[in-house]
């Protein structure tokens, strides 16, 4: 270039303009992007969440992203999120079921400080499939955060990691799977079972009852009637040091029957109840050790007389004894006892009424021991004196020595019961078959001539008749005037009337 040439002036002017443009561009660049962080944010799609805000800046992008690959690299995420890496290694939890390598598919970023990266529909979340912990009964109805809350997180790695980031109340990780992990404050047993897991006895479906507990595996095996006893009948509430009530299950005394059962014998028969009783029922008895030592007088029915000689099975046998004389019935609630209790209100509770209800209308009803006793059923204690006092027919004369059965015969095929209540008590009603007069005195009582001392007439006053005896007639034998007559097909009888009273009727023409 030649000094002074026009072209040299043009070149100088162009250079000045170029330097000016470069200076303006540098100024604009300095104003718009003053730092590397500003440059990174300039090319980022948005701000990071508050949890990741410490990763803001161009130099830190590769802590989450791999150059040339979109999204967030899984391996890089778990380098920070150690609790997740631990669970992936053990193939546990939700993330172990996800094959996706790009964490950003579920956890979006760059949407601002307040954006929630953990977003899923809790209502449709398949907890049983995705987590390996099945929710049943009340667990299935519980709100998610009623279990997933800070004070129930057990896992140390989760508590450490989330605690450092003040996010312990936001995590879904770290819950234990034992009952006490969540329900320790509700534990009602005061540590009686030590480290025993709750689900060894309880099921989620029936928490109130220990349906999985087998009492036969305890120190006290349940047999017989003990199997039917409600738990609370043996396991009673007690109080701890704070006076709080709980049920005692361990350290329960059961070495002796008397630890639970009241001794009805008040120690008179020793402490070993099993010498007589069995677990099948308190009233089930060992016969071979019981019958020889049992004192029946301790019951409401003392055995006397023939009752004391009877075998136990006579009254307590099964089925109950029934024959012509005895019909035993048992109290219904004692039917399964070894010695069922007979209904023993009175004699006829067991003994058939020999008199077939004859005395039902008597004062006091049927009371057998009014006449009989347990030592000897016969003869009866009903004697002549009582007959004269209690009955309307006093026994006199020959009736005193008359056997009872002659007036009160035993029942036969044509008679239902012995006849004790005799309605007609005149002579003819009883002695009709003994009437030797062939109806000569049907309108005249027997006692007009006879008395009960002897049937013969010791002194008959003939003057009371239409033919008084006088003169020689006074010494005439009765049979001279009252001869015996024969009856066709019957017994002969003495004719007393009618008789002709004319002299010739007896003396003829002489």
């Amino acid at each position: 270039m030649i000094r002074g040439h026009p072209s040299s002036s043009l070149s100088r002017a162009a250079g000045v303009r170029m330097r000016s443009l470069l200076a303006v561009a540098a100024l604009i660049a300095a104003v718009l992007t003053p730092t590397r962080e500003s440059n990174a944010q300039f090319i980022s799609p948005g701000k990071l969440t508050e949890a990741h805000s410490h990763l803001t800046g161009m130099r830190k992008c590769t802590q989450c992203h791999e150059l040339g690959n979109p999204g967030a690299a899984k391996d890089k995420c778990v380098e920070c999120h150690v609790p997740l890496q631990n669970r992936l290694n053990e193939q546990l939890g939700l993330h172990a079921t996800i094959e996706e390598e790009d964490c950003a598919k579920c956890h979006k970023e760059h949407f601002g400080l307040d954006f929630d990266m953990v977003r899923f529909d809790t209502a449709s979340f398949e907890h049983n499939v995705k987590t390996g912990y099945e929710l049943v009964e009340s667990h299935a109805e519980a709100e998610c955060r009623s279990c997933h809350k800070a004070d129930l997180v057990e896992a140390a790695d989760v508590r450490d990691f989330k605690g450092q980031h003040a996010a312990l109340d936001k995590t879904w990780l770290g819950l234990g799977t034992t009952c006490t992990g969540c329900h320790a404050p509700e534990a009602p047993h005061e540590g009686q079972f030590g480290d025993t897991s709750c689900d060894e006895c309880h099921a989620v479906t029936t928490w109130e009852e220990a349906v999985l507990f087998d009492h036969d595996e305890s120190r006290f095996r349940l047999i017989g009637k003990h199997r039917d006893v409600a738990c609370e009948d043996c396991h009673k509430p007690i109080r701890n040091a704070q006076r709080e009530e709980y049920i005692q299950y361990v350290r329960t005394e059961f070495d002796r029957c008397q630890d639970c059962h009241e001794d009805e014998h008040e120690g008179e028969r020793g402490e070993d109840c099993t010498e007589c009783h069995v677990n099948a029922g308190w009233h089930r008895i060992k016969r071979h050790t019981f019958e020889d030592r049992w004192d029946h007088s301790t019951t409401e029915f003392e055995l006397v007389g023939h009752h004391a000689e009877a075998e136990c099975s006579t009254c307590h046998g099964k089925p109950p004894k029934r024959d012509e004389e005895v019909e035993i019935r048992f109290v219904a609630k004692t039917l399964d006892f070894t010695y069922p209790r007979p209904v023993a209100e009175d004699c006829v509770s067991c003994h058939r009424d020999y008199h077939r209800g004859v005395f039902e209308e008597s004062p006091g009803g049927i009371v057998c021991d009014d006449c009989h006793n347990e030592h000897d059923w016969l003869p009866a204690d009903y004697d002549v004196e009582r007959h004269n006092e209690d009955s309307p027919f006093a026994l006199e004369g020959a009736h005193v020595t008359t056997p009872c059965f002659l007036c009160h015969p035993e029942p036969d095929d044509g008679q239902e019961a012995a006849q004790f209540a005799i309605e007609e008590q005149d002579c003819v009603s009883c002695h009709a078959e003994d009437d030797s007069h062939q109806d000569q005195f049907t309108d005249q009582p027997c006692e007009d001539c006879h008395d009960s001392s002897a049937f013969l007439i010791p002194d008959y006053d003939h003057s009371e008749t239409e033919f008084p005896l006088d003169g020689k007639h006074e010494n005439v034998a009765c049979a001279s005037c009252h001869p015996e007559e024969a009856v066709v097909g019957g017994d002969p009888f003495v004719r007393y009337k009618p008789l002709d009273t004319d002299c010739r009727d007896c003396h003829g023409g002489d």
Side-chain angles (χ1 to χ4, degrees), residues 351-392:
H351 299 276
R352 294 185 189 272
D353 180 13
Y354 172 79
H355 302 302
R356 313 284 179 88
V358 169
F359 297 104
E360 286 182 352
E361 301 301 325
S362 300
I366 301 174
V367 184
C368 300
D369 52 9
D370 276 354
C371 301
H372 305 277
N373 62 71
E374 294 170 277
H375 296 281
D376 295 294
W377 187 252
L378 292 174
D381 296 334
Y382 192 88
D383 57 13
V384 174
E385 184 178 354
R386 286 190 58 190
H387 197 290
N388 293 343
E389 291 178 356
D390 298 343
S391 77

Short mmCIF file of all heavy atoms in Angstrom, two decimals, residues 351-392:
data_model
loop_
_atom_site.label_atom_id
_atom_site.label_comp_id
_atom_site.label_asym_id
_atom_site.label_seq_id
_atom_site.Cartn_x
_atom_site.Cartn_y
_atom_site.Cartn_z
N HIS A 351 -89.36 -94.85 91.99
CA HIS A 351 -90.16 -96.07 92.18
C HIS A 351 -91.56 -95.89 91.60
O HIS A 351 -92.23 -94.90 91.90
CB HIS A 351 -90.26 -96.42 93.66
CG HIS A 351 -88.94 -96.68 94.30
ND1 HIS A 351 -88.32 -97.91 94.26
CD2 HIS A 351 -88.09 -95.85 94.99
CE1 HIS A 351 -87.16 -97.85 94.91
NE2 HIS A 351 -86.99 -96.61 95.34
N ARG A 352 -91.95 -96.83 90.79
CA ARG A 352 -93.30 -96.75 90.22
C ARG A 352 -94.32 -96.84 91.37
O ARG A 352 -94.14 -97.58 92.32
CB ARG A 352 -93.54 -97.90 89.24
CG ARG A 352 -92.66 -97.81 87.99
CD ARG A 352 -93.03 -98.91 87.01
NE ARG A 352 -92.10 -99.02 85.92
CZ ARG A 352 -92.18 -98.32 84.78
NH1 ARG A 352 -93.16 -97.44 84.63
NH2 ARG A 352 -91.30 -98.48 83.81
N ASP A 353 -95.40 -96.09 91.23
CA ASP A 353 -96.43 -96.07 92.27
C ASP A 353 -97.19 -97.40 92.27
O ASP A 353 -98.00 -97.67 91.39
CB ASP A 353 -97.39 -94.90 92.02
CG ASP A 353 -98.48 -94.81 93.06
OD1 ASP A 353 -98.36 -95.48 94.11
OD2 ASP A 353 -99.47 -94.08 92.83
N TYR A 354 -96.88 -98.22 93.27
CA TYR A 354 -97.52 -99.54 93.37
C TYR A 354 -99.04 -99.41 93.50
O TYR A 354 -99.80 -100.27 93.06
CB TYR A 354 -96.95 -100.26 94.59
CG TYR A 354 -97.63 -101.56 94.94
CD1 TYR A 354 -97.36 -102.72 94.23
CD2 TYR A 354 -98.55 -101.61 95.99
CE1 TYR A 354 -97.99 -103.91 94.55
CE2 TYR A 354 -99.18 -102.80 96.32
CZ TYR A 354 -98.90 -103.94 95.61
OH TYR A 354 -99.52 -105.13 95.92
N HIS A 355 -99.46 -98.29 94.06
CA HIS A 355 -100.89 -98.11 94.32
C HIS A 355 -101.62 -97.40 93.19
O HIS A 355 -102.82 -97.11 93.33
CB HIS A 355 -101.08 -97.35 95.64
CG HIS A 355 -100.44 -98.02 96.81
ND1 HIS A 355 -100.73 -99.29 97.19
CD2 HIS A 355 -99.47 -97.59 97.68
CE1 HIS A 355 -100.02 -99.64 98.24
NE2 HIS A 355 -99.23 -98.62 98.56
N ARG A 356 -100.90 -97.15 92.12
CA ARG A 356 -101.50 -96.60 90.90
C ARG A 356 -102.33 -95.33 91.14
O ARG A 356 -103.46 -95.21 90.67
CB ARG A 356 -102.39 -97.66 90.22
CG ARG A 356 -101.75 -99.04 90.08
CD ARG A 356 -100.73 -99.08 88.97
NE ARG A 356 -100.12 -100.38 88.85
CZ ARG A 356 -100.61 -101.38 88.10
NH1 ARG A 356 -101.71 -101.20 87.42
NH2 ARG A 356 -99.99 -102.53 88.05
N GLY A 357 -101.78 -94.42 91.91
CA GLY A 357 -102.44 -93.13 92.09
C GLY A 357 -103.59 -93.11 93.06
O GLY A 357 -104.29 -92.09 93.18
N VAL A 358 -103.80 -94.22 93.82
CA VAL A 358 -104.92 -94.28 94.76
C VAL A 358 -104.82 -93.16 95.80
O VAL A 358 -105.83 -92.59 96.23
CB VAL A 358 -104.96 -95.66 95.45
CG1 VAL A 358 -105.94 -95.66 96.63
CG2 VAL A 358 -105.34 -96.73 94.45
N PHE A 359 -103.58 -92.82 96.20
CA PHE A 359 -103.41 -91.84 97.27
C PHE A 359 -103.08 -90.44 96.77
O PHE A 359 -102.65 -89.59 97.56
CB PHE A 359 -102.31 -92.32 98.23
CG PHE A 359 -102.63 -93.61 98.92
CD1 PHE A 359 -102.03 -94.80 98.52
CD2 PHE A 359 -103.55 -93.64 99.95
CE1 PHE A 359 -102.34 -95.98 99.15
CE2 PHE A 359 -103.86 -94.82 100.58
CZ PHE A 359 -103.26 -96.01 100.18
N GLU A 360 -103.29 -90.19 95.50
CA GLU A 360 -102.99 -88.86 94.96
C GLU A 360 -103.84 -87.78 95.62
O GLU A 360 -103.40 -86.64 95.77
CB GLU A 360 -103.21 -88.84 93.45
CG GLU A 360 -102.12 -89.56 92.67
CD GLU A 360 -102.35 -89.48 91.17
OE1 GLU A 360 -103.44 -89.01 90.77
OE2 GLU A 360 -101.46 -89.91 90.42
N GLU A 361 -105.07 -88.13 96.00
CA GLU A 361 -105.97 -87.15 96.60
C GLU A 361 -105.83 -87.09 98.11
O GLU A 361 -106.53 -86.34 98.78
CB GLU A 361 -107.42 -87.49 96.22
CG GLU A 361 -107.70 -87.51 94.73
CD GLU A 361 -107.39 -86.18 94.07
OE1 GLU A 361 -107.60 -85.14 94.73
OE2 GLU A 361 -106.94 -86.18 92.91
N SER A 362 -104.91 -87.90 98.67
CA SER A 362 -104.72 -87.88 100.11
C SER A 362 -104.04 -86.59 100.54
O SER A 362 -103.36 -85.94 99.74
CB SER A 362 -103.86 -89.07 100.55
OG SER A 362 -104.48 -90.29 100.20
N PRO A 363 -104.20 -86.16 101.79
CA PRO A 363 -103.50 -84.96 102.27
C PRO A 363 -102.00 -85.10 102.08
O PRO A 363 -101.40 -86.07 102.51
CB PRO A 363 -103.88 -84.91 103.76
CG PRO A 363 -105.17 -85.64 103.84
CD PRO A 363 -105.09 -86.75 102.81
N GLY A 364 -101.41 -84.16 101.39
CA GLY A 364 -99.98 -84.20 101.12
C GLY A 364 -99.61 -84.99 99.88
O GLY A 364 -98.43 -85.07 99.52
N GLY A 365 -100.61 -85.58 99.22
CA GLY A 365 -100.34 -86.33 98.00
C GLY A 365 -99.73 -87.68 98.31
O GLY A 365 -99.90 -88.24 99.40
N ILE A 366 -98.99 -88.21 97.31
CA ILE A 366 -98.38 -89.53 97.47
C ILE A 366 -97.11 -89.39 98.31
O ILE A 366 -96.10 -88.88 97.84
CB ILE A 366 -98.06 -90.15 96.10
CG1 ILE A 366 -99.32 -90.27 95.26
CG2 ILE A 366 -97.40 -91.50 96.26
CD1 ILE A 366 -99.08 -90.73 93.85
N VAL A 367 -97.18 -89.81 99.54
CA VAL A 367 -96.02 -89.76 100.43
C VAL A 367 -95.81 -91.19 100.93
O VAL A 367 -96.41 -91.62 101.92
CB VAL A 367 -96.25 -88.79 101.62
CG1 VAL A 367 -94.99 -88.71 102.48
CG2 VAL A 367 -96.66 -87.42 101.11
N CYS A 368 -94.91 -91.91 100.24
CA CYS A 368 -94.73 -93.33 100.53
C CYS A 368 -94.30 -93.58 101.97
O CYS A 368 -94.72 -94.57 102.60
CB CYS A 368 -93.70 -93.94 99.58
SG CYS A 368 -94.18 -93.80 97.84
N ASP A 369 -93.43 -92.69 102.49
CA ASP A 369 -92.91 -92.97 103.82
C ASP A 369 -93.92 -92.68 104.92
O ASP A 369 -93.60 -92.77 106.11
CB ASP A 369 -91.61 -92.22 104.08
CG ASP A 369 -91.71 -90.75 103.80
OD1 ASP A 369 -92.83 -90.26 103.57
OD2 ASP A 369 -90.66 -90.06 103.81
N ASP A 370 -95.14 -92.34 104.55
CA ASP A 370 -96.21 -92.30 105.55
C ASP A 370 -96.52 -93.71 106.05
O ASP A 370 -96.98 -93.89 107.18
CB ASP A 370 -97.48 -91.68 104.96
CG ASP A 370 -97.44 -90.16 105.03
OD1 ASP A 370 -96.49 -89.62 105.63
OD2 ASP A 370 -98.35 -89.52 104.47
N CYS A 371 -96.27 -94.68 105.16
CA CYS A 371 -96.60 -96.06 105.51
C CYS A 371 -95.39 -97.00 105.43
O CYS A 371 -95.35 -98.02 106.13
CB CYS A 371 -97.69 -96.61 104.59
SG CYS A 371 -99.23 -95.66 104.63
N HIS A 372 -94.42 -96.66 104.58
CA HIS A 372 -93.28 -97.54 104.35
C HIS A 372 -91.99 -96.88 104.80
O HIS A 372 -91.93 -95.67 105.02
CB HIS A 372 -93.19 -97.89 102.86
CG HIS A 372 -94.45 -98.49 102.31
ND1 HIS A 372 -94.75 -99.82 102.42
CD2 HIS A 372 -95.49 -97.92 101.63
CE1 HIS A 372 -95.92 -100.08 101.84
NE2 HIS A 372 -96.40 -98.93 101.35
N ASN A 373 -90.92 -97.66 104.93
CA ASN A 373 -89.61 -97.12 105.26
C ASN A 373 -88.57 -97.76 104.36
O ASN A 373 -88.83 -98.75 103.67
CB ASN A 373 -89.28 -97.32 106.73
CG ASN A 373 -89.20 -98.78 107.13
OD1 ASN A 373 -88.27 -99.50 106.75
ND2 ASN A 373 -90.19 -99.25 107.91
N GLU A 374 -87.35 -97.18 104.37
CA GLU A 374 -86.31 -97.63 103.46
C GLU A 374 -85.61 -98.91 103.93
O GLU A 374 -84.86 -99.51 103.17
CB GLU A 374 -85.26 -96.52 103.31
CG GLU A 374 -85.81 -95.28 102.61
CD GLU A 374 -84.86 -94.10 102.67
OE1 GLU A 374 -84.85 -93.39 103.70
OE2 GLU A 374 -84.12 -93.90 101.69
N HIS A 375 -85.84 -99.30 105.17
CA HIS A 375 -85.21 -100.52 105.68
C HIS A 375 -85.97 -101.76 105.23
O HIS A 375 -85.38 -102.73 104.76
CB HIS A 375 -85.12 -100.47 107.21
CG HIS A 375 -84.25 -99.36 107.72
ND1 HIS A 375 -82.87 -99.44 107.74
CD2 HIS A 375 -84.56 -98.12 108.20
CE1 HIS A 375 -82.36 -98.32 108.22
NE2 HIS A 375 -83.37 -97.50 108.52
N ASP A 376 -87.31 -101.73 105.39
CA ASP A 376 -88.16 -102.84 104.98
C ASP A 376 -89.44 -102.28 104.40
O ASP A 376 -90.23 -101.64 105.11
CB ASP A 376 -88.49 -103.75 106.18
CG ASP A 376 -87.25 -104.45 106.73
OD1 ASP A 376 -86.70 -105.29 106.01
OD2 ASP A 376 -86.86 -104.12 107.86
N TRP A 377 -89.61 -102.51 103.13
CA TRP A 377 -90.79 -101.95 102.46
C TRP A 377 -92.08 -102.53 103.05
O TRP A 377 -93.07 -101.84 103.20
CB TRP A 377 -90.69 -102.23 100.97
CG TRP A 377 -91.74 -101.56 100.16
CD1 TRP A 377 -92.80 -102.12 99.55
CD2 TRP A 377 -91.82 -100.15 99.86
NE1 TRP A 377 -93.55 -101.18 98.89
CE2 TRP A 377 -92.96 -99.95 99.08
CE3 TRP A 377 -91.02 -99.06 100.21
CZ2 TRP A 377 -93.34 -98.71 98.61
CZ3 TRP A 377 -91.40 -97.81 99.73
CH2 TRP A 377 -92.53 -97.64 98.95
N LEU A 378 -92.02 -103.81 103.40
CA LEU A 378 -93.14 -104.48 104.05
C LEU A 378 -92.64 -105.17 105.32
O LEU A 378 -91.48 -105.63 105.36
CB LEU A 378 -93.77 -105.51 103.10
CG LEU A 378 -94.50 -104.95 101.89
CD1 LEU A 378 -94.93 -106.09 100.98
CD2 LEU A 378 -95.69 -104.10 102.30
N PRO A 379 -93.45 -105.28 106.37
CA PRO A 379 -94.82 -104.79 106.42
C PRO A 379 -94.87 -103.27 106.53
O PRO A 379 -93.92 -102.64 106.99
CB PRO A 379 -95.38 -105.44 107.67
CG PRO A 379 -94.19 -105.62 108.55
CD PRO A 379 -93.05 -105.94 107.63
N ALA A 380 -96.00 -102.73 106.15
CA ALA A 380 -96.16 -101.30 106.19
C ALA A 380 -96.28 -100.82 107.63
O ALA A 380 -96.65 -101.56 108.53
CB ALA A 380 -97.39 -100.89 105.39
N ASP A 381 -95.96 -99.56 107.83
CA ASP A 381 -96.05 -98.96 109.16
C ASP A 381 -97.46 -98.50 109.48
O ASP A 381 -97.71 -97.98 110.58
CB ASP A 381 -95.11 -97.74 109.25
CG ASP A 381 -93.65 -98.14 109.10
OD1 ASP A 381 -93.32 -99.30 109.41
OD2 ASP A 381 -92.85 -97.29 108.66
N TYR A 382 -98.39 -98.76 108.57
CA TYR A 382 -99.78 -98.34 108.78
C TYR A 382 -100.48 -99.43 109.59
O TYR A 382 -100.78 -100.51 109.07
CB TYR A 382 -100.46 -98.13 107.42
CG TYR A 382 -101.79 -97.43 107.48
CD1 TYR A 382 -101.87 -96.05 107.44
CD2 TYR A 382 -102.97 -98.17 107.57
CE1 TYR A 382 -103.09 -95.40 107.47
CE2 TYR A 382 -104.20 -97.52 107.61
CZ TYR A 382 -104.25 -96.15 107.57
OH TYR A 382 -105.47 -95.50 107.60
N ASP A 383 -100.71 -99.20 110.87
CA ASP A 383 -101.27 -100.22 111.75
C ASP A 383 -102.74 -99.95 112.06
O ASP A 383 -103.36 -99.02 111.54
CB ASP A 383 -100.45 -100.32 113.03
CG ASP A 383 -100.35 -98.99 113.77
OD1 ASP A 383 -101.13 -98.06 113.44
OD2 ASP A 383 -99.50 -98.87 114.67
N VAL A 384 -103.30 -100.78 112.97
CA VAL A 384 -104.72 -100.68 113.35
C VAL A 384 -105.01 -99.31 113.96
O VAL A 384 -106.05 -98.69 113.68
CB VAL A 384 -105.10 -101.82 114.32
CG1 VAL A 384 -106.54 -101.62 114.83
CG2 VAL A 384 -104.98 -103.17 113.64
N GLU A 385 -104.11 -98.87 114.80
CA GLU A 385 -104.33 -97.58 115.46
C GLU A 385 -104.47 -96.46 114.44
O GLU A 385 -105.37 -95.61 114.54
CB GLU A 385 -103.19 -97.30 116.42
CG GLU A 385 -103.38 -96.03 117.22
CD GLU A 385 -102.26 -95.79 118.21
OE1 GLU A 385 -101.39 -96.68 118.36
OE2 GLU A 385 -102.25 -94.70 118.84
N ARG A 386 -103.56 -96.44 113.45
CA ARG A 386 -103.66 -95.41 112.42
C ARG A 386 -104.89 -95.60 111.57
O ARG A 386 -105.51 -94.64 111.11
CB ARG A 386 -102.39 -95.43 111.53
CG ARG A 386 -101.16 -94.85 112.21
CD ARG A 386 -100.05 -94.68 111.23
NE ARG A 386 -100.42 -93.82 110.11
CZ ARG A 386 -99.69 -93.65 109.02
NH1 ARG A 386 -98.52 -94.29 108.91
NH2 ARG A 386 -100.09 -92.86 108.06
N HIS A 387 -105.26 -96.86 111.34
CA HIS A 387 -106.46 -97.13 110.55
C HIS A 387 -107.68 -96.53 111.23
O HIS A 387 -108.55 -95.95 110.58
CB HIS A 387 -106.62 -98.65 110.37
CG HIS A 387 -107.55 -99.02 109.27
ND1 HIS A 387 -108.91 -98.83 109.33
CD2 HIS A 387 -107.32 -99.61 108.05
CE1 HIS A 387 -109.48 -99.26 108.22
NE2 HIS A 387 -108.52 -99.75 107.41
N ASN A 388 -107.73 -96.67 112.57
CA ASN A 388 -108.88 -96.15 113.30
C ASN A 388 -108.86 -94.63 113.40
O ASN A 388 -109.91 -93.99 113.45
CB ASN A 388 -108.92 -96.75 114.71
CG ASN A 388 -109.20 -98.25 114.69
OD1 ASN A 388 -109.65 -98.79 113.69
ND2 ASN A 388 -108.91 -98.93 115.80
N GLU A 389 -107.64 -94.05 113.37
CA GLU A 389 -107.53 -92.60 113.48
C GLU A 389 -107.72 -91.89 112.13
O GLU A 389 -108.35 -90.84 112.05
CB GLU A 389 -106.17 -92.22 114.06
CG GLU A 389 -105.99 -92.60 115.52
CD GLU A 389 -104.61 -92.26 116.02
OE1 GLU A 389 -103.78 -91.80 115.18
OE2 GLU A 389 -104.34 -92.45 117.22
N ASP A 390 -107.14 -92.50 111.10
CA ASP A 390 -107.08 -91.79 109.81
C ASP A 390 -108.19 -92.16 108.84
O ASP A 390 -108.49 -91.39 107.93
CB ASP A 390 -105.73 -92.08 109.13
CG ASP A 390 -104.55 -91.57 109.95
OD1 ASP A 390 -104.79 -90.74 110.84
OD2 ASP A 390 -103.42 -92.00 109.69
N SER A 391 -108.76 -93.34 109.01
CA SER A 391 -109.78 -93.75 108.04
C SER A 391 -111.18 -93.62 108.66
O SER A 391 -111.32 -93.58 109.89
CB SER A 391 -109.53 -95.20 107.63
OG SER A 391 -109.95 -96.09 108.64
N PRO A 392 -112.21 -93.58 107.82
CA PRO A 392 -113.58 -93.49 108.35
C PRO A 392 -114.14 -94.84 108.82
O PRO A 392 -115.28 -94.90 109.29
CB PRO A 392 -114.36 -92.95 107.15
CG PRO A 392 -113.61 -93.44 105.97
CD PRO A 392 -112.16 -93.45 106.36
#
